[in-house]
Amino acid sequence: MENELDHADCPVTATIALFGGRWKLLILYVLSRNTRRFGEIQVRIPAISKKVLTEQLRELEADGLISRKEYKELPPRVEYALTDFGKSLCPLLIDIAAWKRKNIG
Amino acid sequence: MENELDHADCPVTATIALFGGRWKLLILYVLSRNTRRFGEIQVRIPAISKKVLTEQLRELEADGLISRKEYKELPPRVEYALTDFGKSLCPLLIDIAAWKRKNIG
DNA sequence: CAGTATCCGACGCGATACTG
DNA sequence: CAGTATCGCGTCGGATACTG
């Protein structure tokens, strides 16, 4: 790695990019407890605007961490859920949090 | 956590903030192999400018990950090294990289 | 209800020139 | 050698209003 030193293909950089967005960890946390509709996520993260929430959800979906299921009803209903890949992230996040408790407190 | 949902005190957010800067992981990697002078770091990460390198080093120092030792000579000499705290981060970074290899490849 | 469409400001990062 | 000092730009996130 020291020869190239291009952080683009650094595995750590690539991994934290998955959940590096401003609200992504929070969204993942909310969805880890339950499948949720768009509005339900908003209620649990009041500070986020619709535009930004939409963006973060789209990116999480593009990275395969969450799934989006649209029911063709009126009024519309959309449900977001963690994918298996998204769930696989949880142990890692717990490890990171554990590191902090141990090394910082 | 779901009650507050303020990511400021999220342990994962706080932890990745330590090495979240544009070049910090690379700098930590360079210093993990050896104590290095300012110019030596620059040679190993050619794409970084002096200004940004200085900024990232100052932040890493402020967070206690690296140490800065200034020798009062002419021409000036400054040596950067990982602190014990900085070294404690390495296993975590290895874990993150391992997660990627296992779950993405 | 679940989004788009605009507009905008802050910040991180970069390029370049200068200095003790 | 190891930095500062400026200037500037792109991207991310935020505020607000509108829509199928």
Side-chain angles (χ1 to χ4, degrees), chain B residues 21-23 49 51-52 56 76:
Chain B
R22 176 75 176 72
W23 301 100
S49 73
K51 179 200 150 203
V52 175
Q56 305 271 303

Side-chain angles (χ1 to χ4, degrees), chain A residues 23 41-49, chain B residues 4-5:
Chain A
W23 300 100
I41 302 174
Q42 261 201 304
V43 166
R44 281 163 179 78
I45 314 178
I48 194 172
S49 73
Chain B
E4 348 140 7
L5 287 187

